[in-house]
Amino acid sequence: MSGGPSFDVGRVRWRNGLAVLDRLGIRAALALLVAVASALSPYFLSINNFLNILNQSSVVGVTAVGVTLVMITGGVDLSVGSIISLSADICATVMSGSDTRIVVAVALSIGAGAAVGFVNGVLVAKRNLPSFILTLGTAAAVQGLGLLYTGGTASGALAPWFQNTIGGRPFGHIPGVVPVFVAVAAAGL
């Protein structure tokens, strides 16, 4: 009988420890990761590295805003990657390295993505098709369209202004895609 209370105290301590880990676990893991990376590389905490990470994560961030809105409604969209790929193919091939075609190229690529999204949305909302299955099929179909459109090879070229503005760092050290991400994130709120 003397072992009973200590066992209960141990169980309570274990549960309290799990609660703290549940609350602080991800923060502790991030802090550990930053500490190790900082110890291994003197460049990790540099402004240039931070801006590089921000640049690379902005495209994923823009995508995450849209997917979040879909998930809030209880849906799943597995076709996002294929739609982004097709839109990028359309944008690059229409631009063909010409600054005069930027507006048309961007409008057509956004229109293509919006059209596929509209069809997915109508089929899920009006026909009650499961979004998981529908968007899985859409991903395969759109990927096939992209391969047909490009012939399975890289094609097209971005316009110099577009590449220097969106792909470069036109705002001093801040990458051009970051304000786009900030605007999309603000619109998603």
Side-chain angles (χ1 to χ4, degrees), residues 8 11 29 89 103 109 112 140 158 185:
D8 288 338
R11 189 182 320 181
D89 291 339
V103 173
S109 64
L158 294 177

Side-chain angles (χ1 to χ4, degrees), residues 73-176:
T73 64
V76 175
D77 192 347
L78 301 176
S79 63
V80 173
S82 295
I83 294 170
I84 290 171
S85 180
L86 177 65
S87 295
D89 291 339
I90 291 170
C91 194
T93 54
V94 171
M95 246 184 238
S96 295
S98 173
D99 285 337
T100 60
R101 298 180 186 163
I102 292 174
V103 173
V104 173
V106 170
L108 286 174
S109 64
I110 290 173
V116 174
F118 178 76
V119 170
N120 278 344
V122 167
L123 290 174
V124 168
K126 299 296 183 188
R127 298 288 184 182
N128 293 324
L129 296 174
S131 61
F132 184 90
I133 301 299
L134 176 70
T135 59
L136 181 62
T138 301
V142 170
Q143 184 178 17
L145 282 173
L147 290 171
L148 284 173
Y149 181 73
T150 62
T153 62
S155 59
L158 294 177
W161 183 89
F162 188 84
Q163 192 169 4
N164 292 333
T165 304
I166 302 298
R169 295 189 176 196
F171 308 109
H173 294 291
I174 299 174

Side-chain angles (χ1 to χ4, degrees), residues 30-120:
L30 179 62
L32 179 65
L33 182 65
V34 168
V36 169
S38 299
L40 294 176
S41 172
Y43 305 107
F44 182 76
L45 289 178
S46 70
I47 295 294
N48 198 30
N49 187 48
F50 174 74
L51 291 172
N52 187 31
I53 291 170
L54 193 58
N55 183 35
Q56 292 179 8
S57 61
S58 290
V59 175
V60 175
V62 168
T63 306
V65 170
V67 171
T68 299
L69 297 175
V70 170
M71 293 179 77
I72 286 172
T73 64
V76 175
D77 192 347
L78 301 176
S79 63
V80 173
S82 295
I83 294 170
I84 290 171
S85 180
L86 177 65
S87 295
D89 291 339
I90 291 170
C91 194
T93 54
V94 171
M95 246 184 238
S96 295
S98 173
D99 285 337
T100 60
R101 298 180 186 163
I102 292 174
V103 173
V104 173
V106 170
L108 286 174
S109 64
I110 290 173
V116 174
F118 178 76
V119 170
N120 278 344

